[in-house]
Structures are given as C-alpha cells and as structure tokens.
Amino acid sequence: AAKIASRRATELSSVFTAAQAQGLVPVMITLTMRHHKGQSLSQLWDGLNSGWRAITQGKAARLDRERYGIAGQARAIEATHGKNGFHLHVHAVVLMGAGNDLIQALELGHKWFRRWESGLAKLGIDAVRESGGLDVSVASSDADMGSLGAYLAKQGADSLAMEATAGLLKQGRKGNRSMFQIARDAMETGDADDVDVWKEWEKTARGRKMLTFSKGFREIANLEDEITDEEIAGEALGTEADEILLLPASSWRQVRATSWKLLDVVEELGVSGLHAYLDGLKIPWNAAPSKSVT
C-alpha cells in the first residue's frame, strides 16, 4: 500500500502541476455521511456510491461541467472505525476552469452536497449537515499541489502509506482507527471485536477501488494508461546492488516512525555516516551483501 500510495501521489501531483500550467483550478471537496453502529460497512458503501452517482451523473453533472469548465475529478474514499461503527467519507479534487475562485468553488460544493444528500437518502442514509459535513478548499500554490496529491493518495491507500513511511501509530481523530490500525491491534492483542471488524472490512472492500479518476483526468498530464494497484504492488523497486545495509525486524520497529531520517543521513553523510548514526542510537544493523562498511 505504501508503494501504491507513492505512485498515485506522484501521478496526482503531475496532473495538478499540468492543470495549474493550463490555468485550471484544483478544488478539494470533502463530503461525509451520518453513521451508527448498527449499519454494516456494505450498507454505508452502497450509500456512498449512490451519493457519488447523484453528484457525477445526469443533467446536473453535465451543467456543472459546462458552467465551471470542469476538466475532471479524482475521488478517494477514507475509511475508519470507532464507537459508532464504520465511517466512510469522500475526498474529491475537481479541476475547475480558469477564472473560477473560492466563490465558485463553494457554490459547486453546495450543489454537490445537495445531490450527495439526495443520493444517500435513497438508501436511508443521512448526510452530515453540521460543521464538517462539507469542506471546500482551493489549491493556489505549487506546495498546495504537491501536498494535495500526497494527501489524496494517502486516503486512497487507507492511510497505510503514512503508517509505513511516517509512523502514524496514534489513533485516528476522535478515537477512530484506520483499517490497518485495527489490523495491527488485532494482531497484537487478539481482540475478538477487532478481528470481526477486520474480517468485515476484508470481505466488503475486496474489489472496490479506494481511488478513482474521471475520464480525461490523467490525460491532462499525458500520463500513460493507468495500471492496477496489484501491478504497482508487484513491481520490483531497485536491485540488490542498491542495498546499503540490512535492518533486522526489531531494528526496523525502532526506526520506522522516522524512517525518512535514514535517507536524509545517507544523502548527507554517506553510508558510513548512516552506520555511525545507527550505532549512536544503539540500533543493530547488518552490512548489505558485498558492501564495505567503510
């Protein structure tokens, strides 16, 4: 999932950069739904899909594209679980035409929310109307573009990328946990409720896409045809010749929360500097095959 999120973040950032060069305006729209413990994940996901179809299909969606010059959108689903059961919500980036600003973005967001609410209602699910039910923001700088791509891809990978590369070991907001936090806790404690939650996630999420692109979205940056998550996961990155040291599992657990520092150290001080850095922290390591430790 970390590999998938990294690839998708790069793709999204490329699209956002190309969009900015073309004068398009990337807008992030977040939509949430009300949920309670008695609802199954399948019910909530079907409701989300109904709400999304109401936004993106039909005459109203066509009029939106014409009025705001929408060139495409990407949608990521974020899934967490807490005392009120499963919680799904949508993060979407819409590429609006040149000349649009926050006023038009808010106008579009409220139109989307009304259709989202109507689509959810078809399956007996309510949209969250109070603060936080709808959030709209406009990316206005190169930094915004890059962070937006990384954020959206992170949601699509269900936050595992952040766990693997930045040590997101704390619980989610308001006591909610990501699916991979639940999996980790189930492995560590054997808690039957966590095991049941993970099994429901595994059964329901199978075959569903967490990150999707509208027609023409990737073409904005002339990206190659999209490959599947499975193909990305199966790609080999680097070779044995690229290895600079080996970390036992116990050592990896000590450094994974700040693993990015290892790359910084080796870039600035070289391999011997990395060895000294780990030795200073009393973290065991092994030399990579055929690599000198000097």
Side-chain angles (χ1 to χ4, degrees):
K3 289 169 66 176
I4 294 165
S6 178
R7 170 70 70 85
R8 298 306 186 202
T10 300
E11 292 174 341
L12 287 165
S13 294
S14 297
V15 171
F16 297 156
T17 299
Q20 187 181 41
Q22 296 171 33
L24 299 174
V25 181
V27 175
M28 170 82 92
I29 299 177
T30 299
L31 299 157
T32 62
M33 67 176 91
R34 201 170 300 284
H35 60 103
H36 57 78
K37 199 167 186 178
Q39 292 170 306
S40 68
L41 177 59
S42 179
Q43 287 176 301
L44 293 171
W45 214 312
D46 289 345
L48 182 148
N49 287 337
S50 178
W52 185 249
R53 284 193 299 270
I55 289 171
T56 58
Q57 297 180 11
K59 181 179 179 180
R62 177 176 58 80
L63 292 175
D64 283 348
R65 290 193 291 271
E66 294 173 357
R67 174 175 174 79
Y68 302 106
I70 295 173
Q73 69 256 345
R75 182 205 72 182
I77 298 173
E78 182 176 7
T80 58
H81 188 277
K83 65 179 182 179
N84 293 320
F86 285 98
H87 176 45
L88 300 179
H89 56 274
V90 166
H91 300 283
V93 170
V94 188
L95 300 177
M96 300 179 71
N100 288 288
D101 56 22
L102 183 58
I103 299 299
Q104 284 76 35
L106 289 170
E107 184 178 274
L108 177 64
H110 284 286
K111 287 183 177 181
W112 273 29
F113 182 84
R114 288 193 290 272
R115 301 208 297 274
W116 167 255
E117 187 175 40
S118 175
L120 292 177
K122 290 179 180 179
L123 294 184
I125 299 173
D126 296 326
V128 175
R129 275 191 159 274
E130 56 267 26
S131 175
L134 169 68
D135 184 77
V136 180
S137 59
V138 176
S140 58
S141 68
D142 290 343
D144 286 345
M145 302 290 181
S147 61
L148 195 58
Y151 180 75
L152 196 67
K154 185 264 290 188
Q155 305 308 332
D158 196 22
S159 301
L160 180 60
M162 295 301 291
E163 283 204 40
T165 61
L168 185 60
L169 303 179
K170 60 184 179 181
Q171 290 193 352
R173 292 171 296 174
K174 300 180 181 179
N176 287 352
R177 292 175 293 164
S178 74
M179 295 303 106
F180 285 100
Q181 285 177 313
I182 289 169
R184 185 188 64 239
D185 291 346
M187 290 291 289
E188 290 180 353
T189 69
D191 183 87
D193 290 337
D194 283 347
V195 172
D196 287 343
V197 169
W198 176 258
K199 284 183 176 179
E200 183 174 358
W201 168 258
E202 206 172 38
K203 176 182 177 181
T204 305
R206 183 178 177 83
R208 298 183 190 254
K209 296 191 72 173
M210 303 294 290
L211 179 63
T212 57
F213 309 102
S214 69
K215 184 179 180 180
F217 182 86
R218 294 171 54 85
E219 286 74 7
I220 291 170
N222 296 316
L223 295 177
E224 297 177 356
D225 292 341
E226 182 181 359
I227 64 175
T228 67
D229 288 352
E230 289 76 13
E231 289 172 320
I232 294 173
E235 288 179 337
L237 300 180
T239 67
E240 287 187 2
D242 298 314
E243 293 178 355
I244 57 176
L245 59 74
L246 303 177
L247 290 174
S250 58
S251 296
W252 172 245
R253 284 194 290 270
Q254 293 181 69
V255 302
R256 66 179 179 182
T258 55
S259 56
W260 53 271
K261 287 185 179 179
L262 303 185
L263 298 178
D264 283 351
V265 169
V266 78
E267 286 179 2
E268 294 179 14
L269 303 176
V271 176
S272 60
L274 179 59
H275 295 160
Y277 173 77
L278 292 171
D279 289 341
L281 295 176
K282 295 183 171 23
I283 294 175
W285 56 272
N286 298 312
S290 303
K291 295 287 185 179
S292 168
V293 297
T294 59

